[in-house]
Amino acid sequence: MPSLSIVMPSMNEEETIRICIEKAQFIFKKYGIEGEIIVADNSSDRTAEIAASMGARVIGPIKGYGNAYLKGLAEAKGDYIAIADADNTYDLLELDRFLDPLMAGEADFIMGTRLKGNIKKGAMPWLHQYIGNPFLTGTLNFLFKTKISDAHCGMRAFTKEALEKMNLKTYGMELASEMVIEAAKCELRIKEVPITYYSRRAPSKLRSFHDGWRHMRFMMLYRPLPFLLLPGAVVFILGVLITGSLLISANAAESRLHSFILGCMLLILGGQTLSTGGYMKTYGIVRGVYPKDKGSTAKWLNYHSLEKELLVGSLILGAGLLLGLKVVYTWISSGYGSLSEVKNAVISMVFAFIGLQMIFSAIILSVMLLEVDTDW
């Protein structure tokens, strides 16, 4: 059995795959260990042919960055596993910085850091180096209590046991974030080592804003509370306070119409945000993102709670419709003339909207949870 597995995703890297494999083979010789090189390929050039001729095990074609790593990692048999891109932007001769602490039992998961290492001129766009990467890394550190400097460095190493603990599922670029999040969630010992980052020969396949949003969206899936549920609750409560204070004061809603409309808008916006947070939470449960427990998760999955939401939504919608019918009746009674029922008309629409939102949310959530085991 190999002691070290090196997994490299590749897509049209015929210019660099040879040097990457040669560096990996040098590491095997340096440590005097059995090793395997797994190339998860999706190339239309000679990348796969070159890799196979040099003794690498080529699997594919595999589409998608995360999917390539998932397939490659599933094939890895080594006690220690290293990952890096096949474009030679990461120097595999620096793998000893990763392997030494792993083999010494000092860590379970080793991250490379380019930002504390040496970034060669032109290797990383300034937008990534000074804005995108620090912002996404800082967000991840804040949400998941990690202390890393470069969350999207693609050169990493970990033990086989660490890989088996991490529940990796993502098929896209966000696998880089998922791996760090899972390592933190599993309480793995994480260590960073500075590395050198070189320029690519071929054009980069990264899409700055698209890929950045995928990482952000994935963190929202893991932590919907600070992104959606908490802000939504604050906005909704603020809307209740503004609208309620104007309703209980005589003629205040009509005399302070702009404040009244603002309060109603906050109610609607808060309700929408809370619903979106609920969808994210439920999707995370369906995907197995959260650990199983008998507490809040079980309550969330309880179908009867969805029935209650459906009932409450129906009552709120009914109240809005009744209030709306009252406005229509008053208008008919006045001979279809001018009518000063702004307060009741607005409240009727808000109630109807929130009621419908709750009904639709109950239906969507119940459909999402159809095949989920609720006996947690």
Side-chain angles (χ1 to χ4, degrees), residues 129-144:
Q129 184 172 352
Y130 298 108
I131 299 177
N133 202 341
F135 174 75
L136 291 173
T137 298
T139 303
L140 189 147
N141 284 334
F142 173 76
L143 292 175
F144 302 98

Side-chain angles (χ1 to χ4, degrees), residues 109-293:
F109 185 96
I110 309 293
M111 286 279 301
T113 171
R114 299 162 295 180
L115 300 183
K116 289 185 177 181
N118 181 17
I119 300 176
K120 297 296 184 180
K121 184 177 180 180
M124 185 183 295
W126 69 268
L127 180 65
H128 296 184
Q129 184 172 352
Y130 298 108
I131 299 177
N133 202 341
F135 174 75
L136 291 173
T137 298
T139 303
L140 189 147
N141 284 334
F142 173 76
L143 292 175
F144 302 98
K145 311 304 178 185
T146 54
K147 296 179 181 180
I148 58 178
S149 61
D150 188 3
H152 300 104
C153 179
M155 191 172 183
R156 307 173 182 191
F158 33 85
T159 63
K160 181 70 171 179
E161 291 79 8
L163 174 62
E164 292 170 350
K165 289 179 181 179
M166 293 186 289
N167 184 24
L168 303 178
K169 297 182 176 182
T170 310
Y171 299 131
M173 292 296 296
E174 57 269 38
L175 180 77
S177 293
E178 182 184 32
M179 191 175 289
V180 179
I181 293 169
E182 282 292 319
K185 191 171 74 171
C186 297
E187 299 182 349
L188 299 180
R189 294 172 298 163
I190 303 174
K191 182 178 180 178
E192 274 192 317
V193 294
I195 62 170
T196 305
Y197 190 58
Y198 295 87
S199 299
R200 283 179 55 89
R201 294 186 186 179
S204 174
K205 303 174 182 68
L206 291 176
R207 295 168 292 176
S208 300
F209 293 101
H210 179 269
D211 293 334
W213 162 242
R214 290 180 70 118
H215 288 286
M216 202 69 182
R217 181 184 63 185
F218 187 77
M219 287 188 281
M220 290 173 65
L221 174 62
Y222 264 83
R223 290 289 188 272
L225 181 63
F227 281 107
L228 295 167
L229 294 174
L230 186 58
V234 171
V235 171
F236 188 83
I237 292 172
L238 186 60
V240 170
L241 293 176
I242 294 175
T243 307
S245 63
L246 294 175
L247 285 176
I248 61 177
S249 301
N251 300 320
E254 288 82 357
S255 61
R256 300 176 62 184
L257 184 60
H258 293 90
S259 298
F260 181 66
I261 293 176
L262 173 62
C264 292
M265 289 177 61
L266 292 176
L267 278 171
I268 294 173
L269 179 61
Q272 285 275 29
T273 308
L274 285 171
S275 295
T276 305
Y279 301 151
M280 295 287 285
K281 174 74 173 179
T282 305
Y283 182 74
I285 292 172
V286 173
R287 284 288 302 273
V289 168
Y290 313 115
K292 293 187 176 184
D293 61 69

Side-chain angles (χ1 to χ4, degrees), residues 57-68:
R57 183 148 56 99
V58 180
I59 57 174
I62 303 172
K63 187 175 182 180
Y65 177 85
N67 199 31

